[in-house]
Coordinates of all heavy atoms in Angstrom, one line a residue:
M19 N -5.0 2.0 14.4 CA -5.8 2.5 13.3 C -5.1 2.7 12.1 O -4.0 3.4 12.2 CB -6.5 3.7 13.8 CG -7.5 4.3 12.7 SD -9.1 3.4 12.5 CE -10.0 4.1 13.9
L20 N -5.5 2.2 11.0 CA -4.9 2.5 9.7 C -5.9 3.4 9.0 O -7.1 3.1 8.8 CB -4.7 1.2 8.9 CG -4.3 1.5 7.5 CD1 -2.9 1.9 7.4 CD2 -4.3 0.1 6.7
T21 N -5.4 4.5 8.6 CA -6.2 5.4 7.8 C -5.5 5.8 6.5 O -4.3 6.3 6.5 CB -6.4 6.8 8.6 OG1 -6.9 6.5 9.9 CG2 -7.3 7.7 7.9
V22 N -6.2 5.6 5.4 CA -5.6 6.0 4.1 C -6.4 7.1 3.6 O -7.7 7.1 3.6 CB -5.6 4.8 3.1 CG1 -5.3 5.3 1.8 CG2 -4.7 3.6 3.6
N23 N -5.7 8.3 3.2 CA -6.5 9.5 2.7 C -6.0 9.8 1.3 O -4.9 10.2 1.1 CB -6.3 10.6 3.6 CG -7.0 10.5 5.0 OD1 -8.1 10.0 5.1 ND2 -6.3 10.9 6.0
H24 N -7.0 9.7 0.4 CA -6.7 10.4 -0.9 C -5.4 9.8 -1.6 O -4.7 10.5 -2.2 CB -6.6 11.9 -0.8 CG -7.8 12.5 -0.1 ND1 -9.0 12.5 -0.5 CD2 -7.7 13.2 1.1 CE1 -9.8 13.2 0.4 NE2 -9.0 13.6 1.3
L25 N -5.2 8.6 -1.5 CA -4.1 7.9 -2.1 C -4.2 7.9 -3.6 O -5.3 7.6 -4.2 CB -4.0 6.5 -1.6 CG -2.7 5.7 -1.9 CD1 -1.5 6.3 -1.2 CD2 -2.9 4.2 -1.5
A26 N -3.1 8.2 -4.3 CA -3.1 8.3 -5.8 C -1.8 7.7 -6.3 O -0.8 7.8 -5.7 CB -3.3 9.7 -6.2
K27 N -1.9 7.0 -7.4 CA -0.7 6.4 -8.0 C -0.9 6.2 -9.5 O -2.0 5.8 -10.0 CB -0.5 5.0 -7.4 CG 0.5 4.2 -8.2 CD 2.0 4.7 -8.0 CE 3.0 3.8 -8.7 NZ 4.2 4.4 -8.7
S28 N 0.1 6.7 -10.2 CA 0.1 6.4 -11.7 C 1.6 5.9 -12.0 O 2.6 6.4 -11.5 CB 0.1 7.7 -12.5 OG 0.3 7.4 -13.8
Y29 N 1.5 4.6 -12.5 CA 2.8 4.0 -12.8 C 3.5 4.7 -14.0 O 4.8 4.8 -14.0 CB 2.6 2.5 -13.3 CG 2.3 1.7 -12.1 CD1 1.0 1.3 -11.8 CD2 3.3 1.2 -11.3 CE1 0.7 0.4 -10.7 CE2 3.1 0.4 -10.2 CZ 1.8 0.0 -9.9 OH 1.4 -0.8 -8.8
D30 N 2.8 5.2 -15.0 CA 3.6 5.8 -16.1 C 3.3 7.3 -16.2 O 3.8 7.9 -17.2 CB 3.0 5.1 -17.3 CG 1.4 5.4 -17.7 OD1 0.8 6.1 -16.9 OD2 1.0 4.8 -18.6
G31 N 2.7 8.0 -15.2 CA 2.5 9.4 -15.2 C 1.3 9.8 -16.1 O 1.1 11.0 -16.2
E32 N 0.7 8.9 -16.8 CA -0.5 9.2 -17.6 C -1.7 8.6 -17.0 O -2.6 9.2 -16.6 CB -0.3 8.8 -19.0 CG 0.8 9.7 -19.7 CD 1.1 9.4 -21.1 OE1 0.2 8.7 -21.8 OE2 2.0 9.9 -21.7
K33 N -1.8 7.3 -17.2 CA -3.0 6.5 -16.7 C -3.0 6.5 -15.2 O -2.0 6.3 -14.5 CB -2.8 5.0 -17.2 CG -4.1 4.1 -16.7 CD -3.9 2.8 -17.2 CE -5.0 1.9 -16.6 NZ -4.8 0.5 -16.8
K34 N -4.2 6.9 -14.6 CA -4.3 6.9 -13.2 C -4.7 5.5 -12.6 O -5.8 5.1 -12.8 CB -5.4 8.0 -12.8 CG -5.0 9.3 -13.2 CD -6.0 10.4 -12.8 CE -5.5 11.7 -13.2 NZ -6.4 12.8 -12.9
N35 N -3.8 4.9 -12.0 CA -4.1 3.5 -11.5 C -4.8 3.5 -10.1 O -5.6 2.7 -9.9 CB -2.7 2.7 -11.4 CG -2.0 2.7 -12.8 OD1 -1.1 3.4 -13.0 ND2 -2.4 1.8 -13.6
L36 N -4.5 4.5 -9.4 CA -5.3 4.8 -8.2 C -5.6 6.3 -8.1 O -4.8 7.1 -8.4 CB -4.5 4.4 -6.8 CG -4.0 3.1 -6.6 CD1 -3.2 3.0 -5.2 CD2 -5.2 2.1 -6.5
T37 N -6.9 6.5 -7.8 CA -7.4 7.9 -7.8 C -8.2 8.2 -6.5 O -9.3 7.5 -6.4 CB -8.3 8.3 -9.1 OG1 -7.6 7.9 -10.2 CG2 -8.6 9.7 -9.1
D38 N -7.7 8.9 -5.6 CA -8.4 9.3 -4.4 C -9.0 8.2 -3.6 O -10.2 8.1 -3.4 CB -9.6 10.3 -4.9 CG -10.1 11.2 -3.8 OD1 -9.4 11.2 -2.7 OD2 -11.1 11.8 -3.9
V39 N -8.1 7.3 -3.2 CA -8.6 6.1 -2.5 C -8.4 6.5 -0.9 O -7.4 6.8 -0.5 CB -7.6 4.9 -2.7 CG1 -7.9 3.7 -1.8 CG2 -7.7 4.4 -4.2
S40 N -9.6 6.3 -0.3 CA -9.6 6.7 1.1 C -10.3 5.5 1.9 O -11.4 5.1 1.5 CB -10.3 7.9 1.4 OG -9.6 9.0 0.8
F41 N -9.8 5.1 3.0 CA -10.5 4.2 3.9 C -9.8 4.0 5.2 O -8.7 4.5 5.5 CB -10.5 2.7 3.3 CG -9.2 2.1 3.0 CD1 -8.5 1.2 4.0 CD2 -8.6 2.3 1.8 CE1 -7.4 0.7 3.7 CE2 -7.3 1.7 1.5 CZ -6.7 0.9 2.5
Q42 N -10.6 3.4 6.2 CA -10.1 3.3 7.6 C -10.2 1.9 8.0 O -11.3 1.2 7.6 CB -10.7 4.2 8.6 CG -10.3 5.6 8.7 CD -10.8 6.2 9.9 OE1 -11.8 5.9 10.4 NE2 -9.9 7.1 10.5
V43 N -9.2 1.2 8.7 CA -9.3 0.0 9.2 C -8.9 0.1 10.8 O -7.9 0.5 11.1 CB -8.4 -1.1 8.6 CG1 -8.6 -2.5 9.1 CG2 -8.7 -1.1 7.0
A44 N -9.9 -0.3 11.6 CA -9.8 -0.1 13.0 C -8.9 -1.4 13.5 O -8.9 -2.4 12.9 CB -11.0 0.0 13.7
P45 N -8.3 -1.2 14.7 CA -7.6 -2.4 15.4 C -8.6 -3.6 15.4 O -9.7 -3.4 15.8 CB -7.1 -1.9 16.7 CG -7.0 -0.5 16.5 CD -8.1 -0.1 15.5
S46 N -8.1 -4.8 15.1 CA -8.9 -6.1 15.1 C -9.9 -6.1 14.0 O -10.5 -7.2 13.9 CB -9.5 -6.3 16.5 OG -8.6 -6.2 17.5
E47 N -10.1 -5.1 13.3 CA -11.0 -5.2 12.3 C -10.5 -5.9 11.0 O -9.3 -5.9 10.8 CB -11.4 -3.8 11.8 CG -12.6 -3.7 10.8 CD -13.0 -2.2 10.4 OE1 -12.3 -1.3 11.0 OE2 -14.0 -2.1 9.6
V48 N -11.3 -6.7 10.3 CA -10.8 -7.4 9.2 C -11.6 -6.8 7.9 O -12.7 -6.5 7.9 CB -11.3 -8.9 9.3 CG1 -10.9 -9.6 7.9 CG2 -10.7 -9.6 10.5
A49 N -10.7 -6.4 7.0 CA -11.1 -5.6 5.8 C -10.7 -6.4 4.6 O -9.7 -7.0 4.5 CB -10.5 -4.3 5.8
V50 N -11.6 -6.4 3.6 CA -11.4 -7.1 2.4 C -11.5 -6.0 1.2 O -12.4 -5.2 1.2 CB -12.5 -8.1 2.1 CG1 -12.2 -8.8 0.7 CG2 -12.4 -9.1 3.2
I51 N -10.5 -6.1 0.2 CA -10.6 -5.1 -0.9 C -11.0 -6.0 -2.0 O -10.3 -7.1 -2.4 CB -9.2 -4.5 -1.2 CG1 -8.7 -3.7 0.0 CG2 -9.4 -3.6 -2.5 CD1 -7.3 -3.2 -0.1
I52 N -12.1 -5.7 -2.6 CA -12.6 -6.5 -3.7 C -12.7 -5.6 -5.0 O -13.1 -4.4 -5.0 CB -14.1 -7.0 -3.4 CG1 -14.1 -7.8 -2.2 CG2 -14.7 -7.7 -4.6 CD1 -15.5 -8.2 -1.7
G53 N -12.3 -6.2 -6.1 CA -12.4 -5.4 -7.3 C -11.9 -6.3 -8.5 O -11.2 -7.4 -8.3
P54 N -12.3 -5.9 -9.8 CA -11.8 -6.7 -10.9 C -10.3 -6.7 -11.1 O -9.6 -5.9 -10.5 CB -12.5 -6.0 -12.1 CG -12.9 -4.6 -11.7 CD -13.0 -4.8 -10.1
S55 N -9.8 -7.6 -11.9 CA -8.4 -7.6 -12.2 C -7.9 -6.3 -12.8 O -8.6 -5.8 -13.7 CB -8.1 -8.7 -13.2 OG -6.7 -8.8 -13.4
G56 N -6.9 -5.7 -12.2 CA -6.4 -4.5 -12.7 C -7.0 -3.3 -12.0 O -6.6 -2.2 -12.3
A57 N -7.9 -3.6 -11.1 CA -8.5 -2.4 -10.4 C -7.6 -1.6 -9.5 O -7.8 -0.4 -9.3 CB -9.7 -2.9 -9.5
G58 N -6.5 -2.3 -9.0 CA -5.5 -1.6 -8.1 C -5.4 -2.2 -6.7 O -4.8 -1.6 -5.9
K59 N -5.9 -3.3 -6.6 CA -5.9 -4.0 -5.1 C -4.5 -4.2 -4.7 O -4.1 -3.7 -3.6 CB -6.7 -5.3 -5.1 CG -8.1 -5.2 -5.7 CD -8.8 -6.5 -5.7 CE -8.2 -7.6 -6.7 NZ -8.3 -7.2 -8.0
T60 N -3.6 -4.8 -5.5 CA -2.3 -5.0 -5.2 C -1.5 -3.6 -5.1 O -0.6 -3.5 -4.2 CB -1.6 -5.9 -6.3 OG1 -2.3 -7.2 -6.1 CG2 0.0 -6.1 -5.9
T61 N -1.7 -2.7 -5.9 CA -1.2 -1.4 -5.8 C -1.4 -0.8 -4.5 O -0.5 -0.1 -3.8 CB -1.6 -0.5 -7.0 OG1 -1.4 -1.2 -8.2 CG2 -1.0 0.8 -7.0
I62 N -2.7 -0.9 -4.0 CA -3.0 -0.4 -2.6 C -2.2 -1.0 -1.6 O -1.5 -0.4 -0.7 CB -4.5 -0.5 -2.3 CG1 -5.3 0.4 -3.2 CG2 -4.8 -0.2 -0.9 CD1 -6.8 0.1 -3.1
L63 N -2.2 -2.4 -1.6 CA -1.4 -3.2 -0.6 C 0.1 -2.8 -0.6 O 0.7 -2.6 0.4 CB -1.6 -4.6 -0.7 CG -3.0 -5.1 -0.4 CD1 -3.1 -6.6 -0.7 CD2 -3.4 -4.8 1.0
R64 N 0.6 -2.7 -1.9 CA 2.1 -2.4 -1.9 C 2.4 -1.0 -1.5 O 3.4 -0.7 -0.9 CB 2.5 -2.6 -3.4 CG 2.7 -4.0 -3.7 CD 3.2 -4.2 -5.1 NE 3.5 -5.5 -5.5 CZ 4.7 -6.0 -5.4 NH1 5.7 -5.3 -5.1 NH2 5.0 -7.3 -5.7
S65 N 1.4 0.0 -1.7 CA 1.6 1.3 -1.1 C 1.7 1.3 0.4 O 2.4 2.1 1.0 CB 0.4 2.3 -1.6 OG 0.5 2.4 -3.0
L66 N 0.7 0.4 1.0 CA 0.6 0.5 2.5 C 2.0 0.3 3.1 O 2.2 0.9 4.1 CB -0.3 -0.7 3.0 CG -1.8 -0.5 2.6 CD1 -2.7 -1.5 3.2 CD2 -2.2 1.0 3.0
N67 N 2.9 -0.7 2.6 CA 4.1 -0.8 3.2 C 5.3 -0.1 2.4 O 6.4 -0.4 2.5 CB 4.5 -2.3 3.6 CG 4.4 -3.2 2.4 OD1 4.3 -2.7 1.3 ND2 4.6 -4.4 2.6
Q68 N 4.8 0.7 1.4 CA 5.7 1.5 0.6 C 6.7 0.7 -0.2 O 7.9 1.1 -0.4 CB 6.5 2.6 1.5 CG 5.5 3.5 2.2 CD 5.0 4.6 1.2 OE1 5.7 5.5 0.9 NE2 3.7 4.4 0.8
L69 N 6.2 -0.5 -0.7 CA 7.0 -1.2 -1.6 C 7.0 -0.5 -3.0 O 7.8 -0.8 -3.8 CB 6.4 -2.6 -1.8 CG 6.7 -3.6 -0.6 CD1 6.1 -4.9 -0.8 CD2 8.2 -3.8 -0.5
I70 N 5.9 0.2 -3.2 CA 6.0 1.2 -4.3 C 5.8 2.6 -3.8 O 5.3 2.7 -2.8 CB 4.9 0.8 -5.4 CG1 3.5 0.9 -4.7 CG2 5.1 -0.6 -6.0 CD1 2.4 0.9 -5.7
K71 N 6.3 3.5 -4.6 CA 6.2 4.9 -4.3 C 4.9 5.4 -4.9 O 4.8 5.5 -6.1 CB 7.3 5.6 -4.7 CG 7.6 7.0 -4.1 CD 8.1 6.9 -2.7 CE 7.9 8.2 -2.0 NZ 7.0 8.1 -0.8
D72 N 3.9 5.7 -4.1 CA 2.7 6.4 -4.6 C 3.0 7.8 -4.9 O 4.1 8.4 -4.5 CB 1.6 6.1 -3.6 CG 2.0 6.3 -2.2 OD1 2.4 7.5 -1.9 OD2 1.9 5.4 -1.4
D73 N 2.0 8.5 -5.4 CA 2.2 9.9 -5.9 C 1.6 10.9 -4.9 O 2.2 12.0 -4.8 CB 1.5 10.1 -7.2 CG 2.1 9.1 -8.3 OD1 3.2 8.9 -8.1 OD2 1.3 8.8 -9.2
D74 N 0.6 10.5 -4.1 CA -0.1 11.5 -3.4 C -0.9 10.8 -2.3 O -1.3 9.7 -2.4 CB -1.0 12.4 -4.2 CG -1.3 13.8 -3.6 OD1 -0.7 14.0 -2.5 OD2 -2.1 14.6 -4.2
G75 N -1.2 11.6 -1.3 CA -2.1 11.1 -0.2 C -1.4 10.9 1.1 O -0.4 11.3 1.3
E76 N -2.2 10.2 2.0 CA -1.6 9.9 3.5 C -1.9 8.4 3.7 O -2.9 8.0 3.4 CB -2.3 10.7 4.5 CG -2.0 12.2 4.5 CD -2.8 12.9 5.6 OE1 -4.0 12.5 5.9 OE2 -2.3 13.7 6.3
I77 N -0.9 7.9 4.4 CA -1.1 6.5 4.9 C -0.7 6.5 6.4 O 0.4 6.4 6.7 CB -0.3 5.5 4.1 CG1 -0.6 5.5 2.7 CG2 -0.4 4.1 4.7 CD1 0.3 4.6 1.9
L78 N -1.7 6.7 7.3 CA -1.5 6.9 8.7 C -1.6 5.6 9.4 O -2.8 5.0 9.4 CB -2.4 7.9 9.3 CG -2.6 9.3 8.5 CD1 -3.6 10.2 9.0 CD2 -1.1 10.1 8.7
L79 N -0.6 5.2 10.1 CA -0.6 4.0 10.9 C -0.5 4.5 12.4 O 0.7 5.0 12.7 CB 0.5 2.9 10.6 CG 0.4 1.7 11.3 CD1 -0.8 1.0 11.1 CD2 1.6 0.8 10.9
D80 N -1.5 4.5 13.0 CA -1.5 5.1 14.4 C -1.0 6.5 14.3 O 0.0 6.9 15.1 CB -0.8 4.3 15.3 CG -1.4 2.9 15.6 OD1 -2.7 2.9 15.4 OD2 -0.7 2.0 16.0
D81 N -1.5 7.3 13.4 CA -1.1 8.7 13.3 C 0.2 9.0 12.7 O 0.6 10.2 12.7 CB -1.4 9.6 14.5 CG -2.8 9.4 15.0 OD1 -3.7 9.4 14.2 OD2 -3.0 9.3 16.3
V82 N 1.0 8.0 12.3 CA 2.3 8.2 11.8 C 2.1 8.0 10.2 O 1.6 7.0 9.8 CB 3.3 7.2 12.2 CG1 4.6 7.4 11.5 CG2 3.6 7.4 13.7
D83 N 2.5 9.0 9.4 CA 2.4 8.9 8.0 C 3.5 8.1 7.4 O 4.6 8.6 7.4 CB 2.3 10.3 7.4 CG 1.9 10.2 5.9 OD1 1.9 9.1 5.3 OD2 1.5 11.3 5.4
L84 N 3.2 6.9 7.1 CA 4.3 6.1 6.5 C 4.9 6.6 5.2 O 6.2 6.2 5.0 CB 3.7 4.6 6.1 CG 3.0 3.9 7.3 CD1 2.5 2.5 6.8 CD2 3.9 3.6 8.4
R85 N 4.2 7.5 4.6 CA 4.8 8.1 3.3 C 6.0 9.1 3.7 O 6.7 9.4 2.8 CB 3.7 8.7 2.5 CG 2.7 7.8 2.1 CD 1.6 8.4 1.2 NE 2.0 8.8 0.0 CZ 2.3 10.1 -0.4 NH1 2.2 11.1 0.5 NH2 2.7 10.4 -1.6
Q86 N 6.0 9.5 5.0 CA 6.9 10.5 5.3 C 8.1 10.0 6.1 O 9.0 10.7 6.5 CB 6.3 11.6 6.2 CG 5.0 12.2 5.7 CD 5.3 12.9 4.4 OE1 6.3 13.5 4.1 NE2 4.2 13.0 3.5
L87 N 8.2 8.7 6.2 CA 9.3 8.2 7.1 C 10.6 8.0 6.2 O 10.5 7.8 5.1 CB 8.9 6.7 7.5 CG 7.7 6.6 8.4 CD1 7.4 5.2 8.8 CD2 7.7 7.5 9.6
N88 N 11.7 8.1 7.0 CA 13.0 7.8 6.3 C 13.2 6.3 6.3 O 12.4 5.5 6.8 CB 14.2 8.6 6.9 CG 14.4 8.1 8.4 OD1 14.2 6.9 8.7 ND2 14.9 9.0 9.3
R89 N 14.2 5.8 5.6 CA 14.5 4.4 5.4 C 14.5 3.6 6.7 O 14.0 2.6 6.8 CB 15.7 4.2 4.6 CG 15.6 4.6 3.2 CD 16.8 4.4 2.5 NE 17.3 3.0 2.4 CZ 18.3 2.6 1.6 NH1 18.9 3.4 0.8 NH2 18.7 1.3 1.7
A90 N 15.2 4.2 7.6 CA 15.3 3.4 8.9 C 13.9 3.3 9.7 O 13.5 2.3 10.2 CB 16.3 4.1 9.9
E91 N 13.2 4.4 9.7 CA 11.9 4.5 10.4 C 10.9 3.5 9.5 O 10.1 2.8 10.2 CB 11.4 5.9 10.2 CG 12.2 6.8 11.2 CD 11.8 8.3 10.9 OE1 11.3 8.6 9.8 OE2 12.0 9.1 11.8
L92 N 11.0 3.5 8.3 CA 10.2 2.7 7.5 C 10.5 1.2 7.7 O 9.6 0.4 7.9 CB 10.3 3.0 6.0 CG 9.5 2.2 5.0 CD1 7.9 2.4 5.4 CD2 9.7 2.6 3.6
R93 N 11.7 0.9 7.9 CA 12.2 -0.5 8.3 C 11.5 -0.9 9.6 O 11.0 -2.0 9.7 CB 13.7 -0.7 8.3 CG 14.2 -1.8 7.6 CD 15.7 -2.0 7.6 NE 16.5 -1.0 8.3 CZ 17.2 0.0 7.7 NH1 17.2 0.1 6.5 NH2 18.0 0.8 8.5
R94 N 11.5 -0.1 10.6 CA 11.0 -0.4 11.9 C 9.4 -0.5 11.7 O 8.8 -1.5 12.2 CB 11.3 0.6 12.9 CG 12.6 0.6 13.5 CD 12.8 1.5 14.7 NE 12.7 2.8 14.4 CZ 13.8 3.5 14.0 NH1 15.0 2.9 13.9 NH2 13.8 4.8 13.8
A95 N 8.8 0.4 11.0 CA 7.3 0.3 10.8 C 6.9 -0.9 10.1 O 5.9 -1.6 10.4 CB 6.9 1.7 9.9
R96 N 7.7 -1.4 9.1 CA 7.4 -2.6 8.4 C 7.4 -3.8 9.2 O 6.7 -4.8 9.0 CB 8.4 -2.9 7.2 CG 8.0 -2.0 6.1 CD 9.1 -2.2 4.9 NE 8.8 -1.5 3.7 CZ 9.8 -1.1 2.9 NH1 11.0 -1.3 3.1 NH2 9.4 -0.4 1.8
C97 N 8.0 -3.8 10.4 CA 8.0 -4.9 11.3 C 6.5 -5.1 11.9 O 6.3 -6.2 12.4 CB 9.0 -4.7 12.5 SG 10.7 -4.7 12.1
Q98 N 5.8 -4.1 11.8 CA 4.3 -4.2 12.2 C 3.4 -4.7 11.1 O 2.2 -4.7 11.4 CB 3.9 -2.9 12.8 CG 4.7 -2.4 14.1 CD 4.1 -1.1 14.5 OE1 4.5 0.0 14.0 NE2 3.1 -1.1 15.3
I99 N 4.0 -4.8 9.9 CA 3.1 -5.1 8.8 C 3.4 -6.4 8.2 O 4.5 -6.6 7.7 CB 3.3 -4.0 7.7 CG1 3.0 -2.6 8.3 CG2 2.4 -4.2 6.5 CD1 3.4 -1.5 7.4
G100 N 2.5 -7.3 8.2 CA 2.7 -8.6 7.5 C 2.2 -8.6 6.1 O 1.3 -7.7 5.8
M101 N 2.9 -9.2 5.2 CA 2.4 -9.2 3.8 C 2.6 -10.6 3.2 O 3.6 -11.2 3.3 CB 3.3 -8.1 3.1 CG 3.1 -8.1 1.6 SD 2.3 -6.5 1.1 CE 2.3 -6.8 -0.7
I102 N 1.5 -11.0 2.5 CA 1.5 -12.3 1.8 C 1.4 -11.9 0.4 O 0.4 -11.2 -0.1 CB 0.5 -13.2 2.2 CG1 0.6 -13.6 3.7 CG2 0.5 -14.5 1.3 CD1 -0.5 -14.5 4.2
F103 N 2.5 -12.1 -0.5 CA 2.4 -11.7 -1.8 C 1.6 -12.6 -2.6 O 1.3 -13.8 -2.4 CB 3.9 -11.7 -2.4 CG 4.7 -10.7 -1.7 CD1 5.4 -10.9 -0.7 CD2 4.8 -9.3 -2.3 CE1 6.3 -9.9 0.0 CE2 5.5 -8.4 -1.7 CZ 6.3 -8.7 -0.6
Q104 N 0.9 -11.9 -3.7 CA 0.1 -12.6 -4.7 C 0.6 -13.8 -5.3 O 0.2 -14.9 -5.4 CB -0.5 -11.6 -5.6 CG -1.6 -12.1 -6.5 CD -2.2 -11.0 -7.2 OE1 -2.2 -9.8 -6.8 NE2 -3.0 -11.2 -8.3
N105 N 2.0 -13.6 -5.7 CA 2.8 -14.7 -6.2 C 3.9 -14.9 -5.2 O 4.9 -14.2 -5.2 CB 3.4 -14.3 -7.6 CG 2.3 -14.0 -8.6 OD1 1.4 -14.7 -8.7 ND2 2.5 -12.9 -9.3
Y106 N 3.7 -15.8 -4.3 CA 4.5 -15.8 -3.1 C 5.9 -16.4 -3.2 O 6.7 -16.4 -2.3 CB 3.8 -16.2 -1.8 CG 2.8 -17.3 -2.0 CD1 3.1 -18.6 -2.2 CD2 1.3 -16.9 -2.1 CE1 2.1 -19.5 -2.5 CE2 0.4 -17.8 -2.3 CZ 0.7 -19.1 -2.5 OH -0.3 -20.0 -2.7
N107 N 6.2 -17.0 -4.4 CA 7.6 -17.4 -4.8 C 8.2 -18.3 -3.7 O 9.4 -18.1 -3.4 CB 8.4 -16.1 -5.0 CG 7.9 -15.3 -6.1 OD1 7.4 -15.8 -7.1 ND2 8.1 -14.1 -5.9
L108 N 7.4 -19.2 -3.1 CA 8.0 -19.9 -2.0 C 8.8 -21.1 -2.6 O 9.8 -21.5 -2.0 CB 6.8 -20.6 -1.1 CG 6.1 -19.5 -0.3 CD1 5.0 -20.2 0.5 CD2 7.1 -18.8 0.6
I109 N 8.4 -21.6 -3.8 CA 9.1 -22.7 -4.4 C 9.3 -22.4 -5.9 O 8.4 -21.7 -6.4 CB 8.5 -24.1 -4.2 CG1 7.0 -24.0 -4.6 CG2 8.7 -24.6 -2.7 CD1 6.3 -25.4 -4.7
E110 N 10.2 -23.0 -6.5 CA 10.4 -22.8 -7.9 C 9.2 -23.5 -8.7 O 8.7 -24.5 -8.2 CB 11.7 -23.5 -8.4 CG 12.9 -22.8 -7.9 CD 13.3 -21.5 -8.5 OE1 12.9 -21.3 -9.7 OE2 13.8 -20.6 -7.9
P111 N 8.6 -22.9 -9.7 CA 7.5 -23.5 -10.5 C 8.0 -24.8 -11.1 O 9.2 -24.9 -11.4 CB 7.1 -22.5 -11.5 CG 8.1 -21.5 -11.6 CD 9.0 -21.6 -10.3
Ligands
ATP166 N1 4.8 -2.5 -12.1 C1 3.8 -1.9 -12.8 N2 4.1 -1.2 -13.8 C2 3.1 -0.6 -14.6 N3 1.7 -0.8 -14.5 C3 1.5 -1.6 -13.4 C4 2.4 -2.2 -12.5 N4 1.7 -2.9 -11.6 C5 0.5 -2.8 -11.9 N5 0.2 -2.0 -13.0 C6 -1.0 -1.6 -13.6 O1 -1.8 -1.0 -12.5 C7 -3.2 -1.4 -12.6 C8 -3.6 -1.9 -11.2 O2 -2.8 -3.2 -11.1 P1 -2.9 -4.1 -9.8 O3 -2.0 -5.2 -9.9 O4 -2.9 -3.2 -8.5 O5 -4.4 -4.6 -9.8 P2 -5.2 -5.9 -9.1 O6 -6.5 -5.2 -8.5 O7 -4.2 -6.3 -8.0 O8 -5.3 -6.9 -10.2 P3 -5.4 -8.6 -10.0 O9 -6.8 -8.9 -9.4 O10 -5.2 -9.1 -11.3 O11 -4.4 -9.0 -9.0 C9 -3.3 -2.2 -13.8 O12 -3.8 -1.4 -14.8 C10 -1.9 -2.8 -14.0 O13 -1.6 -3.0 -15.4
MG167 MG1 -3.3 -8.1 -7.4

C-alpha cells in the first residue's frame, strides 16, 4: 500500500507547488494523476522516490516513511519503485 499524507512542496520557498496532497494506492491498483500543465503531477512523482526533497508530509510504502530513510535505505526502497521520466532521454534529439 502506498499512502501519501499532506505532502507539500515549494521550490522557491514562496510559491506553493504542492499543498496538502493526500492519496492512497492499494497493491495492484492502477492510479492516474490528471491535471493541467504545472499542476504538480511530476513533482508528486519525483517526491514518491525522493528525487526531490519535499517540505512536509508522509510517504508511506507499506508503513515505511520514505521521507525518513537514510541514503542506503532509500537506495533499497527505490529498487521497488519503477519510474519512467517525462523526458526519458533514451536517445539524443
Ligand atoms: N525544478 C524546478 N524548479 C522550480 N520550479 C519548478 C521545478 N520543477 C517544477 N517547478 C514548478 O512547479 C510547478 C509544478 O510543476 P510540475 O512539473 O510538477 O507540473 P506538471 O503537472 O508535471 O506539469 P506538466 O503537465 O507540464 O508536466 C510548476 O509551477 C513548475 O513551474
Ligand atoms: Mg510533468
Side-chain angles (χ1 to χ4, degrees):
M19 176 79 82
L20 172 68
T21 305
V22 174
N23 289 324
H24 309 298
L25 191 64
K27 169 71 179 171
S28 171
Y29 284 99
D30 64 6
E32 290 184 16
K33 182 181 175 192
K34 293 179 174 177
N35 302 102
L36 296 181
T37 308
D38 201 10
V39 174
S40 300
F41 61 90
Q42 275 198 328
V43 183
S46 303
E47 189 175 2
V48 176
V50 179
I51 303 173
I52 298 173
S55 181
K59 305 179 294 293
T60 296
T61 302
I62 292 171
L63 290 180
R64 285 178 172 269
S65 293
L66 292 185
N67 58 8
Q68 296 288 283
L69 286 175
I70 59 167
K71 196 73 198 120
D72 43 59
D73 300 331
D74 203 5
E76 286 180 327
I77 301 172
L78 304 170
L79 185 59
D80 296 334
D81 298 326
V82 174
D83 190 347
L84 300 182
R85 299 177 74 255
Q86 307 299 330
L87 300 182
N88 64 32
R89 287 177 58 171
E91 291 166 336
L92 183 57
R93 225 177 4 257
R94 279 195 291 278
R96 280 178 175 155
C97 293
Q98 297 178 272
I99 303 171
M101 175 113 178
I102 299 173
F103 291 89
Q104 190 162 342
N105 303 313
Y106 29 82
N107 300 326
L108 293 179
I109 53 172
E110 295 288 331

